[in-house]
Amino acid sequence: MKSMRILFIFLVALLMVSCGKKKQEVAVAEKSVPISVAPVTRSSISINRVYTGTLEGWKQAQIYASIPEAVVALPVSEGSSIKAGQAVIVLDQGGRASQVRQVKAIYDEAKDNFEKMSRLFEQGAISEQAFNSARTNFQISSANYEATRQQVELTSPISGILTDLAVNVGQYAPMGQPLATIAQVDKLRMTIYADGSSATNLKTGQLAAISIAAAAVDRNNFEGRVIEIARSADPETNLFRVELQIENPQGTLKPGSFARATIVVQELQAVLTVPREAVFFLEGIPKVYTINDSNRAQERSIEIGEKTLEQYQVISGLEEGEKVVTLGRSQIENGSLIKIVEEAGSTGANVTSREG
């Protein structure tokens, strides 16, 4: 009888402990999670594309050597302004590959003979045929001398800035390699490459924001303009070549600088958007948490479009005015009891994606 009483007391105690644990578990499970929400809103979105490229002079020329001779003088230094026809690199006239001295001797002889024959012709001492022959011989020797001289006096074909000088005095000028680059820098050119969907939305005259990663540049944003769009894509890359013009009247920008061009390729009006922090991905599927009538989190699959640093465009899966969980999202799961402690207002944004 005593043993039966002890067993009864033990069972009652065990039942009380079990009930206490269940009550505690229920209390823990039903504890609400504080979260912040934001509404699904409609926004106007500018879709930008960011392209990269290298700045070039509006007109740019490179100087090459036609004979392999030693460099004996560099009349101008890199960064200097030069005029068309000005010598940039001087090669050795007496070198093995140069024929300047021989051709110069022939030219001097033809010049002296022509001057002599001119005087005699004026005096009527020689025939017109003899005079014309001396003149033709002088013209030919003059052209030969000029062509030979230009082989050792490498001049600029345009006026501009000497942006690159690739040789030093004493070096042999290699053939087939650019020795110097001259560029007009009052305005610059930038070549970018756009995919088909972006290229169809680009138009000549369209503005581009140019940024330069250079400490020497006082301001980081310059204005460019689309001046040319290729009519067909490159068969190897399937990209369209796009030329930009950048005004540079103060010469702040330098040819050869790496640059980024940001161009608005499309304007989306009144599209559904949600804050970026509201979206998460499960097995590659974008999802959000909405709030049901019982204040519980409800997992929802959505289809997204463009994105910004702040927002996603919503193609389907949500309606305007619905609320989605933002802060606290990582602390809940489907069906969690939640408590809204903060509700954000609507904001606009610019969509940016990168390519090129």
Side-chain angles (χ1 to χ4, degrees):
M1 190 70 178
K2 184 178 180 180
S3 60
M4 290 293 293
R5 187 181 299 170
I6 293 173
L7 179 60
F8 176 75
I9 294 172
F10 174 76
L11 291 175
V12 171
L14 182 62
L15 181 61
M16 291 177 66
V17 171
S18 177
C19 289
K21 286 185 176 179
K22 288 183 178 179
K23 288 181 180 179
Q24 185 179 4
E25 289 174 359
V26 170
V28 171
E30 292 300 320
K31 184 178 180 181
S32 61
V33 180
I35 54 95
S36 297
V37 297
V40 180
T41 60
R42 291 193 177 274
S43 304
S44 297
I45 299 175
S46 297
I47 303 176
N48 303 326
R49 293 290 184 264
V50 180
Y51 304 92
T52 59
T54 302
L55 299 181
E56 299 178 354
W58 182 247
K59 286 185 178 180
Q60 191 160 293
Q62 293 180 317
I63 295 176
Y64 294 82
S66 58
I67 58 174
E69 268 308 337
V71 177
V72 296
L74 298 172
V76 291
S77 59
E78 191 172 307
S80 301
S81 296
I82 58 178
K83 295 182 179 181
Q86 185 175 349
V88 177
I89 300 170
V90 180
L91 305 181
D92 186 5
Q93 293 186 7
R96 185 176 300 177
S98 174
Q99 298 180 349
V100 173
R101 292 180 179 176
Q102 299 93 310
V103 175
K104 177 67 162 52
I106 296 173
Y107 163 77
D108 288 341
E109 182 179 355
K111 181 181 178 182
D112 290 342
N113 184 58
F114 174 63
E115 291 174 350
K116 182 187 300 182
M117 299 297 279
S118 295
R119 291 191 296 268
L120 292 175
F121 180 69
E122 290 174 358
Q123 297 171 4
I126 62 171
S127 66
E128 184 177 355
Q129 181 179 2
F131 169 75
N132 289 338
S133 176
R135 182 175 61 183
T136 300
N137 187 45
F138 169 67
Q139 290 172 340
I140 293 173
S141 61
S142 177
N144 288 338
Y145 171 61
E146 183 61 24
T148 306
R149 186 183 64 81
Q150 289 182 358
Q151 289 183 328
V152 294
E153 292 185 13
L154 309 184
T155 59
S156 172
I158 63 172
S159 298
I161 303 295
L162 180 60
T163 60
D164 183 59
L165 190 59
V167 291
N168 295 313
V169 173
Q171 291 181 334
Y172 269 80
M175 297 174 61
Q177 297 182 21
L179 307 181
T181 302
I182 298 92
Q184 291 184 352
V185 297
D186 55 334
K187 54 184 175 180
L188 301 176
R189 180 187 299 271
M190 180 178 175
T191 303
I192 61 175
Y193 296 89
D195 62 19
S197 61
S198 298
T200 56
N201 290 307
L202 293 177
K203 298 177 177 61
T204 55
Q206 194 167 352
L207 296 179
I210 309 298
S211 61
I212 310 295
V217 178
D218 293 335
R219 59 190 180 95
N220 199 36
N221 293 312
F222 299 82
E223 188 175 271
R225 194 176 298 273
V226 176
I227 59 169
E228 182 182 348
I229 304 169
R231 295 186 177 181
S232 60
D234 185 285
E236 294 184 1
T237 64
N238 292 323
L239 298 177
F240 289 79
R241 178 182 54 82
V242 180
E243 297 289 338
L244 306 179
Q245 176 183 309
I246 305 155
E247 297 297 329
N248 189 37
Q250 305 301 321
T252 306
L253 302 177
K254 305 300 181 184
S257 299
F258 178 80
R260 289 182 175 86
T262 303
I263 305 176
V264 177
V265 297
Q266 192 176 1
E267 296 280 358
L268 298 179
Q269 303 294 330
V271 294
L272 288 179
T273 59
V274 293
R276 189 159 179 164
E277 60 267 26
V279 180
F280 61 99
F281 293 82
L282 287 180
E283 297 181 351
I285 300 174
K287 296 177 178 288
V288 295
Y289 284 123
T290 58
I291 312 301
N292 64 18
D293 294 337
S294 301
N295 284 332
R296 293 187 180 275
Q298 182 177 348
E299 184 180 294
R300 185 90 62 87
S301 296
I302 63 173
E303 182 184 356
I304 59 176
E306 296 290 344
K307 61 183 177 181
T308 83
L309 295 176
E310 297 84 17
Q311 289 182 309
Y312 277 106
Q313 177 193 3
V314 178
I315 305 298
S316 64
L318 290 171
E319 298 293 335
E320 184 179 3
E322 288 190 277
K323 295 180 175 60
V324 293
V325 178
T326 53
L327 297 179
R329 177 180 56 77
S330 61
Q331 306 301 317
I332 61 176
E333 57 186 18
N334 192 34
S336 294
L337 183 65
I338 55 91
K339 179 182 179 181
I340 300 175
V341 296
E342 183 180 3
E343 183 171 342
S346 61
T347 59
N350 288 328
V351 172
T352 302
S353 39
R354 297 181 178 274
E355 68 172 74

